[in-house]
């Protein structure tokens, strides 16, 4: 099966590097549907269809929903995306532009998710945005590409929402024997379920999401993400929304690529030179992207985080 994602460029960033440091960017922002999500979602959709699914259902108003809509369109299978009323006009438009049926239901993701699940019949596949081994397998291919380029970094920086990206990257790292390279897992304040779980020594659930980085807004990370924190060196850090947005603005200037604050969080670790990255000579950054970032949205995010 031909994958639905593309092999993304791996480029060196002088702008993000400090003296004596090499920073490599894995440009997942360049995936056609705008984020890394198509790697895992694309694989999961293909697999469900191979097993006989006739329709794809998802409840994400963000990049997962956009990726499912894209995958269904490419594979010629109908898609239903149920999103809460809070979903931005931009995300709604992107989902619709891939010919998916968009249902707006409820005040929160929880309501939309309940509605989506209630629609699932025996011939439908339900796509979870982060908690699915098929997704992790698909995400892990980004590390295969880095390894195939002959690169073995000292550390990997990425953003954490529900932890699907983290699980996929770690699966790929372990497949290639990168067992010692720490992962710097970045969240924003107010979307820091992973950080708080590590502090508490158990998987906690946030009462609410207060960060503007909505793509990181999982109230609880998947169990597998927490398990990884017990068997791989992971440095969990949090940055304020202000730093994430400012990193998006700087990244646009430095690399001419527009990303969501969810991705800006990971970039902020470098721009702000956090102590957790001190001493690493070669750092791989997963530039996860995000399709809902626009030239209009970015200043409005900046205005919200003063
Ligand atoms: C989904 C997403 C994340 C977080 O990924 P998880 O698998 O939920 O941890 C980060 N950035 C962007 C742009 C996303 O779409």
């Amino acid at each position: 099966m031909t994958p639905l994602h593309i092999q993304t460029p791996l480029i060196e960033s002088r702008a993000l590097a400090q003296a004596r440091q090499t920073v490599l960017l894995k440009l997942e922002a360049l995936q056609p549907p705008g984020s890394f999500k198509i790697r895992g979602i694309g694989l999961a959709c293909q697999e469900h269809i191979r097993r006989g699914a006739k329709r794809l259902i998802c409840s994400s108003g963000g990049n997962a929903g956009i990726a499912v809509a894209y995958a269904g369109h490419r594979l010629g299978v109908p898609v239903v995306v149920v999103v809460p009323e809070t979903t931005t006009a931009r995300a709604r438009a992107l989902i619709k532009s891939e010919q998916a049926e968009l249902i707006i239901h409820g005040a929160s993701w929880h309501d939309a998710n309940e509605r989506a699940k209630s629609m699932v019949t025996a011939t439908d596949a339900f796509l979870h945005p982060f908690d699915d081994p098929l997704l992790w397998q698909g995400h892990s291919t980004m590390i295969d590409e880095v390894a195939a380029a002959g690169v073995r970094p000292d550390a990997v920086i990425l953003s954490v929402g529900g932890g699907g990206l983290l699980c996929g990257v770690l699966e790929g790292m372990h497949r290639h024997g990168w067992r010692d390279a720490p992962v710097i897992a970045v969240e924003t304040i107010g979307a820091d379920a992973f950080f708080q779980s590590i502090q508490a020594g158990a998987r906690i659930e946030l009462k609410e999401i207060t960060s503007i980085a909505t793509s990181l807004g999982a109230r609880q990370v998947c169990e597998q993400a927490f398990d990884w924190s017990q068997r791989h060196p992971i440095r969990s850090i949090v940055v304020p929304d202000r730093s994430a947005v400012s990193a998006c603005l700087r990244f646009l200037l430095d690399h001419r690529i527009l990303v969501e604050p969810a991705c800006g969080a990971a970039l902020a670790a470098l721009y702000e030179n956090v102590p957790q990255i001190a001493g690493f000579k070669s750092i791989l950054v997963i530039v996860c992207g995000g399709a809902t970032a626009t030239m209009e949205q970015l200043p409005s995010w900046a205005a919200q985080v003063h």
Side-chain angles (χ1 to χ4, degrees):
M1 267 186 301
T2 316
L4 299 179
H5 65 263
I6 62 158
Q7 290 197 15
T8 52
L10 180 68
I11 66 164
E12 189 175 340
S13 173
R14 296 250 197 277
L16 271 82
Q18 308 291 324
R20 291 188 302 284
Q21 199 183 60
T22 304
V23 171
L24 290 166
L25 307 176
K26 186 62 175 156
L27 292 176
E28 291 301 299
L30 302 185
Q31 291 292 350
S35 81
F36 74 94
K37 288 253 175 28
I38 189 59
R39 288 188 187 263
I41 296 275
L43 179 73
C45 291
Q46 284 178 318
E47 182 58 23
H48 286 300
I49 290 165
R50 197 183 63 77
R51 294 179 197 165
K54 300 280 178 267
R55 187 170 70 156
L56 306 166
I57 299 183
C58 175
S59 63
S60 159
N63 293 301
I66 293 165
V68 175
Y70 175 86
H73 192 190
R74 290 257 323 256
L75 297 167
V77 170
V79 172
V80 179
V81 185
V82 186
V83 302
E85 281 139 18
T86 49
T87 303
T88 61
R90 177 65 181 159
R92 294 180 194 192
L94 286 167
I95 291 164
K96 279 196 188 156
S97 72
E98 295 294 349
Q99 261 103 76
E101 182 186 343
L102 182 72
I103 298 178
I104 296 154
H105 179 83
S108 70
W109 172 78
H110 183 80
D111 300 338
N113 191 50
E114 289 300 308
R115 172 73 181 273
K117 286 206 286 205
S118 77
M119 295 175 69
V120 178
T121 69
T123 52
D124 294 324
F126 181 77
L127 280 299
H128 194 279
F130 55 83
D131 192 5
D132 177 355
L134 276 174
L135 244 67
W136 310 331
Q137 188 190 331
H139 296 340
S140 76
T141 58
M142 71 180 78
I143 299 302
D144 295 338
E145 291 169 20
V146 176
V151 169
R152 183 178 175 140
D154 298 337
V156 179
I157 303 185
L158 48 72
S159 303
V160 173
L165 175 61
L166 176 81
C167 291
V169 165
L170 279 161
E171 183 175 318
M173 289 174 68
H174 279 241
R175 180 155 64 235
H176 294 282
W178 305 359
R179 283 159 204 283
D180 307 326
V183 171
I184 290 100
V186 192
E187 295 172 295
T188 48
I189 296 170
D192 51 352
F194 188 59
F195 180 80
Q196 290 202 28
S197 296
I198 288 184
Q199 297 293 305
R203 213 157 53 105
I204 61 95
E205 190 174 334
L206 297 174
K207 287 204 183 61
E208 55 173 350
I209 301 296
T210 55
S211 169
I212 57 144
T214 49
S215 294
L216 302 184
R219 284 168 52 203
Q220 190 173 39
V221 296
C222 58
E223 218 174 301
Q224 178 84 347
F226 186 73
D227 286 354
W228 272 116
S229 72
Q230 317 289 305
R231 55 198 162 92
H232 188 96
I234 298 179
R235 303 181 185 184
S236 167
I237 68 174
V238 290
V239 299
D241 278 350
R242 183 179 5 94
S243 303
V245 172
S246 133
C248 293
L249 290 162
R250 287 181 68 178
F251 193 68
L252 180 59
L253 183 64
D254 288 336
H255 286 285
R256 304 157 302 280
I257 296 174
L258 182 58
V259 297
E260 289 180 14
C263 177
L267 302 172
L270 281 157
Y271 279 125
E272 310 218 333
N273 201 15
V274 297
Q276 287 86 351
I277 61 167
F280 296 120
K281 287 228 169 62
S282 87
I283 299 179
L284 172 68
V285 189
I286 309 301
V287 183
C288 48
T292 74
T294 65
M295 284 299 288
E296 290 71 40
Q297 187 67 60
L298 198 52
S300 122
W301 278 321
Q304 284 172 52
V305 295
H306 264 310

